[in-house]
Amino acid sequence: MESLLRAIEELVGPANVLRGDDVAARRVDWMSGAPCRAGAIVRPASTEELAAVMTKCHAAGQPVVTHGGLTGLVHGAEANTDELVISLERMTTIEALDPVGGTLTVQAGAPLQTVQECAAEAGMQFPLDLGARGSCTIGGNIATNAGGVRVIRYGMMREQVLGLEAVLADGTVVSSMNTMLKNNAGFDLKQLFIGSEGTLGIVTRAVLRLQPRQPVSHTALVACADFAALTGLLQHVRRTLGEQLGAFEVMWRSHYALLTEESGRHAPPLSSDYPFYALIESQGSEAAESAQRFEASIEAAFEAGLLSDAAVASSEQQRERLWAIREDIEGLLHHIAPRFAFDISLPLDEIESYVRDLEKAVAERWPDGRLLVFGHLGDGNLHVTVGTGRADAQTRRAVESLVYEPLAALGGSVSAEHGIGIEKRDYLHLSRSPEEIALMRTLKQALDPKGLLNRHKVLPDIAE
Ligand code: FAD
Ligand code: ZN
């Protein structure tokens, strides 16, 4: 590897090939803080530099792992000592903003929050939003097809990308920097790279789609007496708020109670006696009209018996306090340790019984075990946390089978938004048919025949 690294130093400069302690100082796993084990970290500044690096790696048969902001949750950024990391940390330029076409052109290492702020300064918005906004990058969001809290209104990352550029394993630059909403000239190649977790190419630049800014928001935390009321409420706010419905986030009692009364981390805006809580947000452009519509919707829900109690935010500070409960992932991790975390999806009408059965199964197996659930209910997406007091591999397997195995029969998915990485590749077959997995392998073989990009990720290894 050393002679290859010297050749790469000539391409990117010696300061941009990190070795030794500089490599180990990187934390590749947001949850555990595990250090990076790669042979070296290479930091190109441009597509051209990266293409030249990949040409050399390809010739040498050198495997690489791409790093964005390292907030991924499925071990996708892990690297072995015989792998090189390609970090996009120097490729953060906002290249162009077109207010008329509503597009923003960026390098893939740009942090999500910077992109959001840049759009806001121009009086528009980039609607993808998630708790890791300060650290995660546009390239990572594309590679994982990130979701987050605005999917109910704007869709996932896939819907926010008009064009992109990627460097293939052999150094070929594929530039599909389309800026138009409509372009049916042949295959939509960008889709190959969105959600494929860095296994088919390294995303270097993107054309993002901006939306009109919705400066007025109204937020309420409400409590529901049962699951039928909760889903009835979802239907009700969809109908009454229409396109203004910006978020519908749900917490089961166990999750809400832990972060409020049990841990004391947040003052409880509502008592923790209800089985379900929903954080509802509407977004609009006209203050008076938005407020009236939101209040009318909440009032009508009360009258229809869909909600039992509500805390409506009357200031930005109160709004932030409500969101802080929902976004307090660190609190969750701190109070349930060790724990196993999952992001699954399943049809809405299967969710209640799935969670009930899982609760029962966990309690039977581990009498002191805990199950906490929150999620993006409108997207059928649940974040499930299981604490059993143990973290060994056997317990992990046992918990994974309880969580994943029922999903296949219910038409659910082992990953709603975080991706497969290393963590879920042995369970891919529960959500994808043999024909789908075979086609994924065909694409991988066509784009990366030497298997250099993000080895052992997403697709299960073929038994030798
Ligand atoms: P990394 O972690 O660096 O990489 C993730 C994967 O993408 C790796 O496999 C990596 O090799 C690959 N990759 C990175 N950059 C590129 C590139 N330029 N080209 C090709 N491959 C690349 N996800 C959601 O979907 N919704 C949420 O609501 C959500 N909330 C989160 C909240 C917190 C607090 C945290 C820590 C994570 C959350 N995530 C969520 C996980 C989510 O996947 C990431 O936050 C984000 O999309 C990853 O971006 P990143 O730049 O950190 O990527
Ligand atoms: Zn999520």
Side-chain angles (χ1 to χ4, degrees):
M1 189 188 277
E2 198 44 46
S3 66
L4 174 65
L5 287 179
R6 276 201 296 276
I8 291 176
E9 275 178 350
E10 298 205 348
L11 298 171
V12 299
N16 294 309
V17 177
L18 309 182
R19 294 178 168 85
D21 290 348
D22 289 338
V23 174
R26 290 282 150 110
R27 300 280 165 251
V28 286
D29 186 65
W30 190 84
M31 289 257 191
S32 71
C36 184
R37 297 168 53 225
I41 296 177
V42 179
R43 308 186 301 171
S46 64
T47 304
E48 294 68 34
E49 280 188 16
L50 175 57
V53 169
M54 286 314 299
T55 304
K56 293 245 181 275
C57 288
H58 192 255
Q62 173 60 52
V64 304
V65 174
T66 305
H67 278 187
L70 299 179
T71 66
L73 297 173
V74 290
H75 307 284
E78 273 179 21
N80 285 319
T81 47
D82 62 346
E83 290 174 312
L84 282 188
V85 159
I86 304 288
S87 170
L88 279 278
E89 68 199 73
R90 293 176 66 225
M91 296 180 57
T92 58
T93 307
I94 307 285
E95 296 181 350
L97 189 145
D98 173 1
V100 179
T103 63
L104 189 62
T105 304
V106 299
Q107 279 188 307
L112 171 60
Q113 192 169 336
T114 308
V115 165
Q116 290 174 334
E117 286 167 0
C118 186
E121 273 164 32
M124 310 194 66
Q125 66 158 326
F126 182 64
L128 186 90
D129 196 22
L130 43 100
R133 62 183 76 77
S135 308
C136 66
T137 63
I138 291 299
N141 299 150
I142 290 175
T144 59
N145 185 28
V149 296
R150 302 280 172 221
V151 173
I152 196 166
R153 175 149 182 200
Y154 295 102
M156 297 185 70
M157 187 62 176
R158 191 180 298 287
E159 273 75 46
Q160 327 306 330
V161 181
L162 291 175
L164 60 72
E165 177 183 85
V167 172
L168 303 185
D170 66 0
T172 305
V173 178
V174 179
S175 199
S176 281
M177 294 291 278
N178 169 66
T179 58
M180 300 162 298
L181 202 51
K182 290 185 166 175
N183 183 350
N184 277 346
F187 296 177
D188 190 357
L189 294 173
K190 67 175 180 286
Q191 303 296 354
L192 285 172
F193 304 101
I194 304 176
S196 55
E197 300 179 51
T199 57
L200 300 182
I202 301 176
V203 179
T204 47
R205 295 164 69 221
V207 182
L208 304 175
R209 181 180 178 191
L210 301 181
Q211 300 287 347
R213 204 156 81 89
Q214 306 288 314
V216 184
S217 52
H218 297 281
T219 312
L221 180 75
V222 306
C224 297
D226 54 40
F227 196 75
L230 182 67
T231 51
L233 180 64
L234 173 62
Q235 273 177 293
H236 168 83
V237 291
R238 272 192 164 137
R239 200 177 53 244
T240 52
L241 296 176
E243 81 294 342
Q244 287 193 2
L245 179 62
F248 191 92
E249 297 286 300
V250 167
M251 294 174 265
W252 266 242
R253 177 188 359 226
S254 52
H255 183 89
Y256 176 78
L258 174 84
L259 292 174
T260 55
E261 277 162 21
E262 198 181 323
S263 66
R265 287 179 72 90
H266 304 270
L270 301 173
S271 100
S272 58
D273 297 335
Y274 298 99
F276 301 102
Y277 298 82
L279 188 62
I280 305 170
E281 189 157 275
S282 85
Q283 294 182 313
S285 49
E286 298 294 331
E289 194 253 347
S290 296
Q292 200 186 19
R293 202 158 155 189
F294 188 70
E295 278 161 27
S297 173
I298 298 288
E299 257 174 50
F302 253 126
E303 279 159 23
L306 297 174
L307 55 88
S308 308
D309 202 355
V312 178
S314 55
S315 65
E316 179 56 24
Q317 203 183 21
Q318 284 183 7
R319 172 181 175 264
E320 281 170 14
R321 273 197 220 130
L322 296 181
W323 272 104
I325 303 173
R326 160 60 187 82
E327 293 198 325
D328 191 5
I329 309 299
E330 281 182 28
L332 179 67
L333 302 186
H334 183 71
H335 287 273
I336 306 289
R339 101 291 303 167
F340 304 103
F342 303 90
D343 80 299
I344 55 166
S345 58
L346 63 173
L348 209 55
D349 53 1
E350 303 287 358
I351 287 180
E352 185 185 19
S353 56
Y354 170 85
V355 173
R356 204 183 310 117
D357 291 351
L358 184 59
E359 236 155 15
K360 222 168 103 204
V362 168
E364 271 168 18
R365 188 92 185 239
W366 299 279
D368 295 330
R370 298 196 63 169
L371 177 74
L372 286 87
V373 182
F374 71 100
H376 322 285
L377 194 78
D379 318 331
N381 176 189
L382 299 183
H383 291 296
V384 173
T385 308
V386 184
T388 63
R390 322 163 54 132
D392 56 284
Q394 205 185 348
T395 311
R396 163 174 284 283
R397 285 272 157 190
V399 174
E400 285 174 346
S401 353
L402 293 184
V403 173
Y404 290 142
E405 270 162 23
L407 294 174
L410 300 174
S413 173
V414 297
S415 174
E417 49 179 20
H418 298 163
I420 296 295
I422 295 180
E423 189 169 300
K424 299 175 209 162
R425 61 194 177 139
D426 292 346
Y427 298 97
L428 186 63
H429 68 281
L430 293 175
S431 299
R432 295 293 187 189
S433 66
E435 294 77 13
E436 287 177 298
I437 294 175
L439 182 52
M440 289 183 204
R441 285 196 197 287
T442 303
L443 290 171
K444 174 73 177 167
Q445 178 64 26
L447 272 81
D448 180 15
K450 291 190 178 181
L452 300 182
L453 299 175
N454 279 7
R455 282 186 312 173
H456 312 303
K457 316 262 166 75
V458 185
L459 291 166
D461 290 334
I462 297 174
E464 313 240 320

